[in-house]
Amino acid sequence: MLYIPCPHCGLRNENEFHYGAEAGVAYPDPNELSDSEWAEYLHIRANPKGWLAERWVHFAGCGKWFNLWRNTVTHEIGPAYLPFTKQPKAPQEGSEK
Amino acid sequence: MTNTKDTLSPGAIGRRKAAPLPEQPPQLWKTVKPKKAYDAIIVGGGGHGLSTAYYLAKNHGLTNLAVVEKGWLAGGNIARNTTIIRSNYLWDESAAIYEHSLKLWETLEEDLGYEMFFSQRGVLTLAHSVSDVRSKRRNFYANALNAVDSEWLTPAEVKKLVPIINISEDVRYPVHGATYQPRGGIAKHDWVAWGYAKAASDLGVDIIQGTEVTGFDIRNGKVYGVKTTQGDIAAGKVGMVGAGHSALLANLAGFSIPIQSRPLQALVSPLLEQVLNTVVMSGAVHVYVSQAHKGELVMGAGTDAFNSYAQRGGFHVIEHQLAAALELFPIFSRAQVLRTWGGIVDIAPDASPIIGRTPVENLFINCGWGTGGFKATPGSGWVMAYTMANGTPHELNRPFALDRFVTGHLIDEHGAAGVAH
Amino acid sequence: MSSIRFSFDDKIYTGNQGEPMAAALLRNGLLHITNSTYRGRPRGVIGLGVEEPNALVQLVTGTKESMRPATVIELAEGIAARSLTGVGSLPEDTEEARYDKTNRYVDILIIGAGLAGLTAADEALRAGHEVLLIDDQPVPGGHLRQLGQDVPSPLQNTLKHTNLTYLCRCTATGLYDQNYVVAIERRSEHLGNAAPANRTRIRVWHIRADKVVLATGAFQRPLLFANNDRPGIMLSHTAATYVAVYGVKIFNTAVVVTVDNQGYRDALRLHQAGVKVQGVYDARPAANGPGVEATKAAGIPVRFRSTVLDTAANGEGLLQQVTIQDLDTKEIFQTGADLLAVSGGWTPVADLATHIGIKPTWSAAHAAFLVNHATEKLLTTGMLAGDFGGDDDPAMFFGPSLDTEQARSAFIDLQRDSTLYDLQRAVGAGLSSIEHIKRYTTIGTAHDQGKTSGMLTIGALCQLNAATQDGKPGLSPADVGTLSFRPPYVPIPFAALAGRELGPLSDPIRVTALHQWHVAQGAVFEDVGQWKRPWYFPRSGEKMEDAVKRECLAAREAVAVMDASTLGKIDIQGPDAAVFLDRIYTNMFSTLPEGQCRYGLMCKADGIVFDDGVTTRLGKNHFLMTTTTGGAARVLAWLEEWLQTESPELQVYCTSVTEHIATIALVGPKSRQLLQELVTDIDLSKEAFPFMHTREATIDGIPVRIARISFSGELAFEINVTWGYARHIWERVWAIGRAYELTAYGTETMHVLRAEKGYVIVGQDTDGTQTPHDLNMSWIVSKKKEFIGKRSFQLPWLQAAGRQQLVGLLPDNVNDIIPEGAYITALNATPDAFGKIPHIGFVTSAYYSPTLKRSFALALIADGLTRMGEVVSLPIEGKLLSATICDAIFIDKENLRRD
């Protein structure tokens, strides 16, 4: 049960949220893309070991989407930020246990 | 070898003394240091990697071969799953590869000369609503045409097969029926991996543990070997069989794959007198349970929602799982959760595996088995070995090529089929 | 302490209220409590708490929970138990106990109320924090209590502090990310017969703390020697505690074997309680400390560099003789004893820390794995952090060298009957990782999860891989590492974790405003997602098919009414609402005039049909979208995702109004006439109120919105009204309907009616692989605009030949209702060499149509739209049906009936 900082509501339990995978994947102009580029947009999302900027939506709270740095190895939570705002830097790798 | 297949007929349920496990063979595999070069290297010493190595050696005579494992052998999902074996998948492509796998299971103990408690005790998949019945019956009809054994059971027939199940209307989502695959069952997961490791090792395959692949030697779009924490190893062909870590391996080789890595949890109870001799699955209420040969209840939970490499998940997933289990099996209320754990499953957008060539010549990939990889262990290795040996996919895995995401020809096993366990 | 009676293996014993059952069993002389799981060897109590591997019992009173250590069951009047041989059983009677769950957020959570935990609590309280202190024992004090001592008085005041909550009998079972702790509080078992009926048996605590302090203490560990499992062999601290604190007076002569100074302290306690301590055998070359001196002063013989090699039993299987070996000369001698008290050093309880991935570190000075962690979030203290109280001076010694025969009875895991021999075989088989060895030998997998056997395994591995004289370095425990601990720290009953989320509370039940009416009418319900929907309304004696026939004919020939309130409804407003809908739907909505409705189809980005429904334009910037019943939540989530994460430039606001607006569908040729009786303020004629238009009106002064929408092809009106007025409106419709023989119908009839018109149900006639084109709905795919999913239609497979397309199917035998889900083959297709029959598609919907007086079906068939008139086969459970492919619209292709 992760403890997730909703930028609007504060810290809430994970089961109030839905996950939205990698953050910052903008909808491309579909007509500019080859089939394989379009397939990449459709299906490929970052899946790193370590810090990942990802999307969450506080569906059982304010209903708002936001982005969050989270470490996929330690489950440490980094800063949350709103869509279309400047992405904060990834937390230090050294902060892993 | 003792035959354990039929020791649990329905009549055998009841109080019985725990039987000790048979003794393991005196030699499992040799621990070796890597050579400078091999004809082929398998990256990943899990169930699928080991079975790939075994079939490469046995079916294709390729024995100058190494399996390179980062941690301890077979310590990933093969050591962490709920051991369900079945082949009653919806789509023709899936049914074909899983049925091939099940056929291999049926002779595997003999083939490997290794006891693995393969027990064809049947797999029940429950339906809990009118629409659930419709999709499960579709599955049942599809299986019939694909020559996969499958039966449709009414709630009363379900109750006859599994007397402890609650088929009353009082539960939130009553049992409306079930598909039943009599040839489905379970096996002892570690022993499956060890059986493959031993057989591969006996055929001359080098098994190298504690050695992490840190890069690939790729020149002009062709792979020539791997870089490891024990130095560079040359190889004519390389197979990536990295399960939850597949996306990372692909990135090391310079390409991306549509795989997300998620925690999947399971749990086990202490040893209990036998009460359940059939595997029972319900996608609708999230119950996957069997009782292993020693007597412990083995249950699978749902995947956690987020990407993770931590091999642990949230406890709320477990709590939800147990509530659902008690609805179906009131007798479980006094059983205990002894141990929970997590694996890292590699999930493709269509919940089907990716097996075949990659953008890099002589580099092959086998991943995306998600929550259902254990049952595929023999079949997966068999087709991967064929693909690596011939440089081209077998008919069985051709539909599961990486390029299906570009053509749009997905094999969507979570849509209609529901459960991928 | 009051004396109570309890039953064990059907015999009645007396004991003291509140003491561990194990203590009373021992006091009553029961050393041999059970036999081992696989080898049937006599076994007795060796431990004091949850570490106990042998004395597992099944409660036969109360809830009958399986597999409880007798060392943790507190005696109370009426408790009965029976011994187990490592295998539990599940009673078949219904569990009556209740369980609950609670959440707690605190500044500081301290786990363990021993001296270390109490001290940490004191410090935290002084710093002004709110503290939750949980402990698995009935009273605080931890180790002190085992010494028969009280908590020092300053710390007793700590326990009374207003900012402290102390929970006894509450075991932390798991530590999870972000300081989330799950704990199990046993609330009634210790009360026995006196437990109030309404008291929950176990409470599951979900605790989130700013800081977690682990003060979990340590378990004493045994040693490895031949026949180390006999009743009468106990951990020394355990033996001394049972004898000195619980008054167990069954031992005459004790031998103490030790690797640290703890053994001396325990020898003294035994001695002071009147047990003759024959000697203390210490594996170390020398020892100093108050305990050692006091032991010598008490006249107890002490011998260094010696340890136990083997034991012998009397005719009852109880310990009778101990073989001591001089570790230097290898000389052995025997000595009689009925108690062998073993002190093998301490193993701190590191489980919780390892749950979140912290690796314990080996400390040679402590001969133990410790967790030394001190961050803002997590602190370890007490024995876990290495505070062993000063003078233990343990040796890293796990037992003498044993030959193969001795190794076969040197038990590492008592409950699994796993021995040193098994471990040697595992190593011999080529296994080096401790995880492999665990799996090969099953050490650490039993009920106690290796609490006392884990460290022995590591020690034995180190001894097998000791340094050799030719310079090969030996393996140290630091090299081996610990076995991985996984939650829960102690087993938790399924029932506790299920809590009350059972039956109706397992998932919310959603009902419409008209539900009670449906119930009163005897409707049969079906589960559609969380909703209960009337499936059909049988009249007395009527079977489902008869009811559905009657309902269908009423809708086609007279008038019928259905509760359509479960359809998802989303209110969409804002200046860019129309632009937004153009992106979401495959067809155009910006051109929809106000006051009109349009059917829309939406796809995911992959071009696959996702949901459908009718959307009404209520104003320039105001739409009301309907979705499928099951799809409402995911469609709203989809809209929000696109709005918030892709379309910041759009001003659009979406609100779920599913449960604000009830929908009553009035269907059939007489629907207009009926409704006009109720609605007097607008003209319902087809000229004044055309198809796919909406009108505001009133019924009895209640505002309603009426829409001319038809999901059956019949003349139909949907009355939308605020949820709270729905019952009134429905009753009014029903009352007036009497004259029209108005018939209520359910979802099954709805399905028949819509299928007769070829209207799809997303999720039934689609399976997550269909494009709009596959559904023969190219007409709804706009070529003029961009929308989500459009690009994917150009992917090769989405426009390839051979795709399954939605068609109709007429069984050759008009009474054959094809089972839904049935697969379709070419006419009389035969199995191939592998027994497989190639198929061309499957049946998605199939019904009997009372209107057509025949069965019919919808199907997805490869290239189906080009195969009209083709006769196909359906192999169904031994029978072979045949049917003809046809258009998917069976009734009123010209759409004449709806006006």
Side-chain angles (χ1 to χ4, degrees):
Chain A
M1 183 75 83
L2 303 178
Y3 209 28
I4 295 174
C6 171
H8 307 284
C9 309
L11 283 163
R12 298 296 183 93
N13 281 333
E14 170 200 335
N15 55 1
E16 294 186 15
F17 297 85
H18 285 163
Y19 187 64
E22 183 189 7
V25 182
Y27 187 66
D29 180 347
N31 302 314
E32 294 295 305
L33 304 185
S34 67
D35 283 355
S36 63
E37 287 166 336
W38 176 245
E40 189 161 322
Y41 164 73
L42 286 180
H43 299 303
I44 304 228
R45 293 295 179 272
N47 185 17
K49 208 170 175 173
W51 289 100
L52 170 64
E54 58 193 15
R55 305 187 310 157
W56 290 85
V57 59
H58 192 190
F59 84 94
C62 60
K64 293 294 183 194
W65 282 90
F66 60 93
N67 303 320
L68 179 72
W69 280 107
R70 188 182 58 89
N71 191 304
T72 61
V73 178
T74 63
H75 292 179
E76 281 171 284
I77 303 284
Y81 59 101
L82 298 175
F84 309 108
T85 61
K86 190 169 180 302
Q87 185 182 64
K89 274 197 187 127
Q92 292 291 308
E93 283 299 327
S95 61
E96 285 180 30
K97 281 184 278 288
Chain B
M1 192 183 304
T2 47
N3 179 9
T4 58
K5 287 185 182 67
D6 300 312
T7 53
L8 286 172
S9 64
I13 285 186
R15 210 167 163 171
R16 80 190 246 287
K17 198 175 173 318
L21 297 173
E23 278 207 340
Q24 286 283 323
Q27 172 77 53
L28 283 172
W29 61 82
K30 293 178 283 290
T31 298
V32 298
K33 295 274 174 216
K35 293 193 284 196
K36 284 264 170 271
Y38 291 94
D39 292 339
I41 284 176
I42 307 296
V43 182
H48 290 216
L50 291 168
S51 72
T52 303
Y54 169 72
Y55 290 114
L56 269 172
K58 178 174 173 259
N59 295 355
H60 306 283
L62 214 157
T63 55
N64 183 24
L65 170 66
V67 175
V68 182
E69 165 57 42
K70 181 177 65 167
W72 43 283
L73 201 72
N77 293 341
I78 185 102
R80 294 159 193 278
N81 71 92
T82 52
T83 82
I84 297 172
I85 297 167
R86 63 183 181 93
S87 66
N88 55 350
Y89 278 68
L90 174 67
W91 300 104
D92 300 343
E93 298 89 340
S94 308
I97 196 166
Y98 284 106
E99 177 60 21
H100 181 66
S101 194
L102 181 50
K103 289 210 168 79
L104 290 171
W105 275 114
E106 286 174 324
T107 57
L108 195 58
E109 289 177 325
E110 213 174 309
D111 188 18
L112 299 179
Y114 199 92
E115 167 78 56
M116 43 187 63
F117 279 88
F118 175 61
S119 163
Q120 288 181 294
R121 57 184 59 193
V123 173
L124 263 182
T125 308
L126 304 176
H128 297 269
S129 68
V130 174
S131 65
D132 207 7
V133 166
R134 188 184 298 119
S135 70
K136 297 293 188 305
R137 284 189 65 91
R138 176 185 171 194
N139 213 316
F140 156 68
Y141 290 119
N143 292 155
L145 291 197
N146 278 318
V148 171
D149 61 318
S150 183
E151 296 170 17
W152 177 259
L153 304 188
T154 62
E157 289 166 333
V158 168
K159 180 80 180 172
K160 206 173 159 200
L161 191 67
V162 183
I164 61 169
I165 206 164
N166 181 5
I167 57 164
S168 80
E169 291 287 320
D170 300 342
V171 302
R172 179 67 181 89
Y173 295 110
V175 175
H176 285 226
T179 62
Y180 179 57
Q181 183 175 26
R183 286 165 61 242
I186 56 173
K188 189 161 169 55
H189 51 10
D190 290 328
W191 294 24
V192 173
W194 297 352
Y196 272 116
K198 178 178 183 342
S201 180
D202 290 350
L203 288 170
V205 173
D206 276 1
I207 288 172
I208 300 160
Q209 298 181 77
T211 303
E212 182 174 358
V213 168
T214 55
F216 293 87
D217 177 8
I218 294 169
R219 284 167 271 148
N220 301 321
K222 189 170 174 180
V223 72
Y224 291 92
V226 297
K227 302 175 166 108
T228 80
T229 48
Q230 301 243 37
D232 294 354
I233 313 173
K237 291 175 176 181
V238 178
M240 291 181 186
V241 194
H245 290 77
S246 295
L248 303 170
L249 287 174
N251 289 349
L252 283 178
F255 61 96
S256 297
I257 53 172
I259 289 290
Q260 297 280 292
S261 299
R262 298 274 162 85
L264 176 68
Q265 296 181 85
L267 64 94
V268 69
S269 79
L271 305 191
L272 295 166
E273 289 168 9
Q274 286 290 336
V275 292
L276 179 66
N277 63 354
T278 304
V279 180
V280 180
M281 308 173 47
S282 166
V285 300
H286 302 294
V287 172
Y288 317 95
V289 61
S290 66
Q291 188 169 18
H293 50 276
K294 278 191 306 188
E296 64 271 38
L297 295 172
V298 182
M299 304 181 80
T303 48
D304 281 65
F306 50 79
N307 288 24
S308 171
Y309 291 92
Q311 291 188 329
R312 62 175 184 265
F315 196 67
H316 57 294
V317 179
I318 300 281
E319 291 186 56
H320 179 69
Q321 151 81 7
L322 290 172
L326 253 60
E327 280 270 278
L328 277 178
F329 301 101
I331 195 176
F332 287 176
S333 73
R334 277 141 308 183
Q336 297 162 331
V337 178
L338 178 63
R339 188 177 175 92
T340 65
W341 63 90
I344 309 166
V345 296
D346 39 334
I347 299 179
D350 55 358
S352 284
I354 299 169
I355 327 161
R357 288 190 290 238
T358 70
V360 179
E361 199 180 336
N362 289 344
L363 179 62
F364 303 87
I365 193 163
N366 184 355
C367 66
W369 293 94
T371 58
F374 177 72
K375 66 181 73 69
T377 304
S380 163
W382 196 94
V383 298
M384 182 67 173
Y386 180 100
T387 306
M388 286 182 69
N390 294 289
T392 182
H394 188 269
E395 280 309 311
L396 286 169
N397 64 309
R398 193 179 301 280
F400 296 97
L402 189 51
D403 69 5
R404 75 175 185 271
F405 299 98
V406 177
T407 65
H409 198 162
L410 307 189
I411 301 160
D412 198 340
E413 279 295 342
H414 49 31
V419 197
H421 275 259
Chain C
M1 248 184 222
S2 61
S3 180
I4 59 97
R5 283 148 50 93
F6 70 101
S7 141
F8 181 76
D9 280 344
D10 301 324
K11 285 195 194 119
I12 306 293
Y13 298 93
T14 56
N16 296 320
Q17 172 89 30
E19 73 178 346
M21 180 182 283
L25 292 175
L26 285 169
R27 194 184 310 102
N28 282 285
L30 258 75
L31 271 170
H32 175 184
I33 283 188
T34 186
N35 294 326
S36 72
T37 308
Y38 297 113
R39 290 173 59 176
R41 291 172 65 102
R43 294 280 167 80
V45 173
I46 76 156
L48 269 177
V50 297
E51 79 279 21
E52 172 61 37
N54 289 333
L56 291 171
V57 304
Q58 170 123 27
L59 294 170
V60 293
T61 50
T63 57
K64 306 178 188 170
E65 184 178 342
S66 193
M67 300 202 110
R68 300 269 291 134
T71 50
V72 304
I73 297 170
E74 292 172 54
L75 281 186
E77 189 69 42
I79 280 187
R82 71 173 170 85
S83 60
L84 293 172
T85 55
V87 179
S89 69
L90 299 174
E92 284 180 28
D93 55 341
T94 309
E95 156 115 61
E96 279 168 12
R98 278 152 54 96
Y99 299 85
D100 66 0
K101 299 183 181 183
T102 189
N103 293 287
R104 185 71 186 262
Y105 296 80
V106 288
D107 296 343
I108 298 185
L109 168 68
I110 298 172
I111 299 168
L115 206 48
L118 290 169
T119 306
D122 183 53
E123 284 170 20
L125 291 166
R126 281 175 201 280
H129 297 296
E130 191 200 351
V131 175
L132 176 61
L133 174 65
I134 65 176
D135 187 68
D136 67 351
Q137 298 296 311
V139 291
H143 199 87
L144 291 174
R145 186 175 152 256
Q146 294 160 5
L147 297 173
Q149 298 169 12
D150 284 332
V151 173
S153 53
L155 290 174
Q156 291 199 8
N157 290 332
T158 300
L159 284 161
K160 293 175 196 145
H161 198 290
T162 50
N163 282 346
L164 178 116
T165 308
Y166 162 65
L167 296 173
C168 60
R169 301 186 181 89
C170 184
T171 311
T173 58
L175 173 60
Y176 301 88
D177 296 307
Q178 284 94 42
N179 280 355
Y180 186 71
V181 170
V182 175
I184 302 301
E185 182 193 4
R186 289 186 177 266
R187 292 159 45 80
S188 69
E189 192 175 275
H190 63 286
L191 299 174
N193 289 344
N198 61 355
R199 189 170 173 87
T200 56
R201 179 165 176 261
I202 293 177
R203 175 170 292 166
V204 179
W205 289 79
H206 299 124
I207 306 161
R208 184 83 69 177
D210 287 348
K211 183 172 190 169
V212 172
V213 178
L214 299 177
T216 46
F219 293 125
Q220 201 176 23
R221 62 180 177 251
L223 291 172
L224 266 179
F225 50 92
N227 294 301
N228 62 345
D229 64 330
R230 300 190 193 283
I233 303 174
M234 299 171 91
L235 294 167
S236 68
H237 180 61
T238 304
T241 301
Y242 283 127
V243 168
V245 179
Y246 294 107
V248 170
K249 307 224 179 286
I250 60 168
F251 301 114
N252 295 310
T253 309
V255 164
V256 176
V257 177
T258 191
V259 305
D260 63 4
N261 289 359
Q262 178 66 38
Y264 293 85
R265 293 195 287 269
D266 295 329
L268 271 174
R269 291 173 78 198
L270 290 168
H271 171 78
Q272 285 156 4
V275 179
K276 176 179 167 31
V277 179
Q278 189 275 339
V280 175
Y281 299 92
D282 190 335
R284 297 172 297 177
N288 297 298
V292 180
E293 303 316 317
T295 302
K296 288 177 178 165
I300 300 171
V302 173
R303 181 164 176 168
F304 295 106
R305 291 297 292 152
S306 64
T307 194
V308 55
L309 181 69
D310 199 350
T311 68
N314 64 14
E316 295 168 49
L318 308 182
L319 178 75
Q320 187 177 40
Q321 192 181 66
V322 178
T323 302
I324 301 291
Q325 183 182 45
D326 184 299
L327 288 166
D328 297 319
T329 65
K330 306 296 175 192
E331 162 203 346
I332 61 169
F333 66 91
Q334 276 87 28
T335 178
D338 55 7
L339 172 65
L340 173 58
V342 179
S343 177
W346 292 99
T347 298
V349 178
D351 299 50
L352 292 168
T354 65
H355 290 173
I356 50 164
I358 296 172
K359 297 249 181 280
T361 51
W362 175 251
S363 164
H366 295 83
F369 279 98
L370 308 176
V371 179
N372 246 310
H373 204 90
T375 65
E376 261 178 52
K377 297 283 176 195
L378 186 71
L379 176 76
T380 57
T381 180
M383 293 187 85
L384 177 59
D387 181 3
F388 280 21
D391 78 332
D392 266 12
D393 192 23
M396 193 186 117
F397 179 83
F398 300 95
S401 301
L402 300 177
D403 64 29
T404 302
E405 201 42 46
Q406 290 165 332
R408 283 180 194 273
S409 69
F411 290 88
I412 296 177
D413 189 319
L414 291 161
Q415 202 177 138
R416 284 284 188 252
D417 274 339
S418 305
T419 62
L420 178 62
Y421 173 75
D422 298 324
L423 183 139
Q424 289 165 343
R425 274 182 53 84
V427 172
L431 300 178
S432 50
S433 161
I434 189 165
E435 288 289 348
H436 281 145
I437 286 162
K438 167 191 157 181
R439 288 156 185 278
Y440 185 100
T441 60
T442 73
I443 290 170
T445 62
H447 192 272
D448 60 325
Q449 290 284 288
K451 287 183 173 58
T452 54
S453 59
M455 195 58 223
L456 274 192
T457 311
I458 296 162
L461 263 180
C462 293
Q463 287 190 349
L464 283 178
N465 294 281
T468 55
Q469 291 186 337
D470 58 11
K472 179 178 158 268
L475 210 55
S476 118
D479 305 320
V480 178
T482 56
L483 277 160
S484 44
F485 303 104
R486 306 280 184 201
Y489 168 63
V490 295
I492 310 171
F494 281 17
L497 295 178
R500 296 184 186 176
E501 291 139 45
L502 297 170
L505 297 183
S506 68
D507 200 28
I509 296 172
R510 299 174 77 185
V511 296
T512 73
L514 304 168
H515 186 72
Q516 291 311 321
W517 189 91
H518 304 322
V519 171
Q521 293 286 321
V524 175
F525 292 89
E526 70 161 324
D527 287 309
V528 181
Q530 293 174 328
W531 290 101
K532 293 280 181 195
R533 296 196 73 180
W535 195 10
Y536 56 97
F537 289 86
R539 291 184 181 160
S540 68
E542 221 177 24
K543 282 189 286 194
M544 177 174 174
E545 58 177 278
D546 301 327
V548 171
K549 262 183 206 168
R550 175 176 50 74
E551 293 171 14
C552 285
L553 289 174
R556 290 274 180 236
E557 292 170 6
V559 58
V561 64
M562 189 187 74
D563 178 4
S565 304
T566 63
L567 279 184
K569 290 172 281 286
I570 302 169
D571 187 271
I572 301 170
Q573 299 194 42
D576 301 309
V579 176
F580 180 58
L581 288 180
D582 280 348
R583 287 186 198 176
I584 294 291
Y585 278 123
T586 62
N587 50 338
M588 200 76 100
F589 274 77
S590 51
T591 55
L592 180 67
E594 289 174 38
Q596 293 191 28
C597 332
R598 186 167 286 169
Y599 173 78
L601 202 58
M602 56 180 84
C603 294
K604 284 274 177 103
D606 60 6
I608 300 303
V609 170
F610 167 53
D611 207 88
D612 69 344
V614 169
T615 287
T616 304
R617 189 167 205 165
L618 297 173
K620 180 167 181 290
N621 300 328
H622 189 186
F623 292 82
L624 181 67
M625 173 186 281
T626 63
T627 73
T628 58
T629 294
R634 56 177 178 261
V635 170
L636 179 61
W638 178 241
L639 300 182
E640 285 291 345
E641 182 179 346
W642 276 87
L643 275 175
Q644 293 182 35
T645 70
E646 300 293 350
S647 321
E649 76 284 5
L650 299 185
Q651 259 198 71
V652 182
Y653 305 93
C654 302
T655 310
S656 169
V657 291
T658 302
E659 276 147 318
H660 295 237
I661 302 170
T663 303
I664 298 165
L666 198 58
V667 177
K670 295 182 187 166
S671 58
R672 178 180 284 130
Q673 196 185 343
L674 189 162
L675 188 59
Q676 193 74 73
E677 283 198 42
L678 269 176
V679 180
T680 51
D681 49 355
I682 61 167
D683 179 358
L684 299 180
S685 71
K686 68 178 174 189
E687 296 75 19
F689 190 175
F691 186 63
M692 294 307 259
H693 282 238
T694 67
R695 294 284 184 272
E696 309 287 334
T698 58
I699 297 175
D700 296 345
I702 299 162
V704 296
R705 181 181 301 121
I706 297 172
R708 276 208 49 208
I709 298 168
S710 178
F711 195 44
S712 57
E714 289 304 315
L715 174 66
F717 296 85
E718 275 187 13
I719 309 166
N720 291 286
V721 61
T722 308
W723 204 258
Y725 287 120
R727 179 75 185 259
H728 175 83
I729 302 292
W730 179 278
E731 299 267 16
R732 289 279 283 133
V733 170
W734 192 249
I736 289 178
R738 209 163 287 153
Y740 298 84
E741 292 184 55
L742 178 64
T743 301
Y745 69 96
T747 50
E748 186 66 14
T749 292
M750 176 193 82
H751 279 228
V752 177
L753 299 175
R754 64 89 199 171
E756 287 171 341
K757 275 292 286 179
Y759 294 145
V760 300
I761 301 260
V762 173
Q764 175 170 345
D765 302 298
T766 69
D767 64 6
T769 64
Q770 282 72 40
T771 67
H773 305 290
D774 299 335
L775 300 177
N776 197 16
M777 288 169 79
S778 301
W779 56 270
I780 207 169
V781 178
S782 170
K783 293 193 169 57
K784 294 180 196 148
K785 57 151 191 162
E786 272 304 315
F787 58 86
I788 297 166
K790 188 175 188 180
R791 173 65 180 83
S792 291
F793 298 152
Q794 295 165 34
L795 295 178
W797 175 243
L798 276 75
Q799 50 185 346
R803 290 188 66 81
Q804 294 189 338
Q805 296 167 330
L806 189 78
V807 291
L809 208 54
L810 286 172
D812 289 354
N813 180 340
V814 299
N815 290 317
D816 282 343
I817 301 174
I818 307 169
E820 287 170 349
Y823 270 74
I824 304 162
T825 72
L827 186 62
N828 298 326
T830 50
D832 67 11
F834 306 100
K836 297 185 187 181
I837 308 177
H839 64 80
I840 58 172
F842 71 103
V843 172
T844 62
S845 300
Y847 310 95
Y848 182 83
S849 164
T851 307
L852 300 168
K853 296 196 170 50
R854 61 159 302 136
S855 58
F856 72 106
L858 299 175
L860 284 162
I861 293 180
D863 296 322
L865 293 170
T866 62
R867 302 172 86 146
M868 293 298 152
E870 183 176 332
V871 181
V872 296
S873 289
L874 297 109
I876 292 158
E877 294 169 80
K879 286 182 300 190
L880 193 65
L881 305 186
S882 61
T884 305
I885 299 175
C886 64
D887 189 83
I889 304 172
F890 298 89
I891 281 181
D892 189 27
K893 283 195 175 60
E894 304 76 22
N895 294 326
L896 301 175
R897 302 176 69 106
R898 69 191 186 196
D899 277 330

